[in-house]
Amino acid sequence: MHWIDAVLQSRRIKWFLGLIALYLGYQIWRNYQYFGTNWTCWDFMLISGFLAFILAVWLAADLDRRLNRAIDQLRLNNVLVIDDTGVAQLKQDMSTGGRAVQFWSGLLITLVIFGSYLYVFGPLTMRVWTAWQSGQHPAASATLIQIGTFTFVSALGAALAGLLFGRLTHYGRLAGVLSKDERYLRIVPGHADGACGLKPIGDYYLYQALVFAVPIIWLSAWWAWIIPNYQDMLCTLTGQPHTLFATWQVPYFFQWLVVLIYFYMGFVWPFLALRRRIKQARSSFNSSVAARLQDDIYALQNQLTEPRAADATQHQLTILPMIDAKSKELWAIRHMSGWPMDAGTLTKYRSLLIGEVALPLIAALATSDNPGGSGFQLINSWLSKLI
């Protein structure tokens, strides 16, 4: 077994999350030890960040099972036309393929997180190190150990998250394969699932979007709303002032952008690929099948008016069901959905987009009493500093 597949086994992921939960419990105990019930002094950025990480990775650990179930359901819906051998190969390709994407994704996310920590903790670490070396702050070694441990644990978590993000992106390929190869995928107008038979894969990609939503919403909440509106006083275990707390705003903004790119590649792109496939099928149905059905209905109706002898009633009982069947098929084509998910799932998807993209930008725009002015002015100032 490849080491990436071994790392991303659901059982091992949950063991790792158990260790992260223990570290989080230690941090909560430290907060209580230092500050008791003085909640304003608790490091809720750290606590909520690890909770968000645990939730997102726990959800991601179920991806393989859900993908296999979606593929099986597509076969039961009779829209995925493939034999048992083909299904086994497809599942194997989805599970073990894309290792290069996963590796580079793990490296990228690790570097992004490490770079963020270097940006925030670098100056503080240098000051503490200098004070410790000069003997001005003998207890500074404990602070350095705390920062080092926190950075190490976060780097491990970032590497795992990056591998999972890469796997999510790779799983987006399934929609591309299905949308391009007409031998495998049937579009069924009027299917009972309300999505031309594609609801299982639509539901799966919505689940991927939910996994991405956890870090996106957490990051956007902090950079767009909490940090700009936080009071000018913060107690933390390391004693850093509010200016260090606010320094996280820039890294969180860029982390938010990075995860949004993964969100597009792992959900929006495959979703749009399936939508293009459905629209092509709808256009083909309307230009060929619908016209034939319409002529068939007219021809059958004309047969009803032909003079008959004693079998007239039996003749109508034979023709009318045929007309009804063709009318239902024609109606299904003309009212065919253009989305690979039903109306309820599509509403959830739109809500996720609003929460992940629109609301943070609105919050940034509405924040007018921070040092940078409006949210967009603040972003402008960040970019000008970087250039």
Side-chain angles (χ1 to χ4, degrees):
M1 178 182 292
H2 194 273
W3 69 268
I4 291 180
D5 301 324
V7 168
L8 295 185
Q9 283 185 330
S10 177
R11 177 173 55 86
R12 287 194 170 127
I13 288 176
K14 290 175 180 177
W15 272 106
F16 179 75
L17 290 181
L19 296 176
I20 294 295
L22 288 176
Y23 179 74
L24 174 60
Y26 166 74
Q27 289 292 344
I28 293 174
W29 174 78
R30 291 277 292 178
N31 274 267
Y32 182 76
Q33 184 184 41
Y34 273 77
F35 310 119
T37 57
N38 186 8
W39 308 115
T40 57
C41 291
W42 279 50
D43 193 349
F44 288 108
M45 178 185 286
L46 182 149
I47 294 171
S48 64
F50 275 105
L51 287 175
F53 173 82
I54 291 171
L55 174 60
V57 174
W58 183 274
L59 292 174
D62 199 34
L63 284 171
D64 289 348
R65 184 184 67 84
R66 286 178 175 269
L67 179 66
N68 291 335
R69 188 174 67 182
I71 292 173
D72 291 336
Q73 190 59 50
L74 287 175
R75 290 189 74 194
L76 294 175
N77 284 4
N78 199 30
V79 296
L80 183 62
V81 185
I82 190 172
D83 59 17
D84 291 341
T85 303
V87 167
Q89 185 61 46
L90 179 61
K91 290 180 179 179
Q92 181 70 13
D93 291 344
M94 288 294 105
S95 177
T96 61
R99 288 173 180 146
V101 174
Q102 295 170 56
F103 172 78
W104 288 110
S105 173
L107 183 60
L108 171 64
I109 297 300
T110 302
L111 291 176
V112 168
I113 298 301
F114 184 77
S116 298
Y117 283 20
L118 193 63
Y119 178 87
V120 174
F121 290 124
L124 173 65
T125 303
M126 291 302 299
R127 290 196 300 269
V128 174
W129 175 266
T130 302
W132 182 51
Q133 289 290 90
S134 63
Q136 298 176 4
H137 187 16
S141 58
T143 301
L144 292 173
I145 292 173
Q146 285 285 327
I147 294 176
T149 304
F150 175 63
T151 302
F152 175 74
V153 172
S154 299
L156 288 179
L160 176 61
L163 291 174
L164 287 170
F165 281 2
R167 176 156 288 189
L168 288 166
T169 303
H170 170 66
Y171 283 173
R173 287 184 57 250
L174 176 62
V177 172
L178 296 179
S179 63
K180 291 178 181 178
D181 198 332
E182 298 185 4
R183 296 174 300 170
Y184 294 152
L185 190 68
R186 294 176 64 242
I187 305 298
V188 183
H191 194 280
D193 70 359
C196 303
L198 299 178
K199 189 177 186 299
I201 196 65
D203 288 347
Y204 171 76
Y205 282 125
L206 183 67
Y207 185 81
Q208 286 205 165
L210 179 63
V211 174
F212 284 119
V214 176
I216 289 175
I217 292 176
W218 185 86
L219 288 167
S220 62
W222 280 95
W223 79 259
W225 180 64
I226 299 177
I227 292 177
N229 293 283
Y230 208 83
Q231 297 296 324
D232 291 335
M233 182 276 295
L234 181 71
C235 305
T236 64
L237 296 182
T238 55
Q240 64 256 39
H242 174 71
T243 52
L244 182 62
F245 182 77
T247 307
W248 280 106
Q249 192 171 23
V250 175
Y252 282 170
F253 172 72
F254 284 104
Q255 289 176 31
W256 176 71
L257 291 179
V258 169
V259 182
L260 278 181
I261 293 173
Y262 276 99
F263 174 75
Y264 174 83
M265 297 171 65
F267 174 65
V268 177
W269 178 83
F271 178 81
L272 294 178
L274 288 174
R275 175 164 165 75
R276 284 192 297 270
R277 175 73 175 86
I278 294 174
K279 291 176 69 175
Q280 291 170 359
R282 183 171 61 184
S283 176
S284 176
F285 283 134
N286 277 297
S287 62
S288 58
V289 180
R292 176 178 56 79
L293 287 172
Q294 183 173 300
D295 292 341
D296 290 347
I297 291 171
Y298 289 154
L300 289 171
Q301 287 177 338
N302 289 335
Q303 292 182 29
L304 289 175
T305 61
E306 294 177 357
R308 293 280 174 178
D311 64 341
T313 301
Q314 183 62 36
H315 180 64
Q316 287 189 353
L317 291 176
T318 302
I319 298 297
L320 287 175
M322 295 172 62
I323 296 175
D324 289 341
K326 291 181 179 294
S327 295
K328 289 178 182 178
E329 188 177 354
L330 179 62
W331 187 94
I333 291 174
R334 288 180 171 172
H335 297 82
M336 181 177 168
S337 171
W339 302 95
M341 52 181 62
D342 62 350
T345 306
L346 188 60
T347 299
K348 296 175 185 177
Y349 161 64
R350 288 169 176 161
S351 301
L352 278 178
L353 278 183
I354 292 172
E356 295 174 358
V357 182
L359 287 182
L361 294 178
I362 292 172
L365 183 63
T367 303
S368 58
D369 56 352
N370 58 62
S374 72
F376 289 128
Q377 290 174 336
L378 183 61
I379 294 171
N380 228 4
S381 66
W382 293 344
L383 296 178
S384 63
K385 291 176 183 177
L386 292 174
I387 296 176

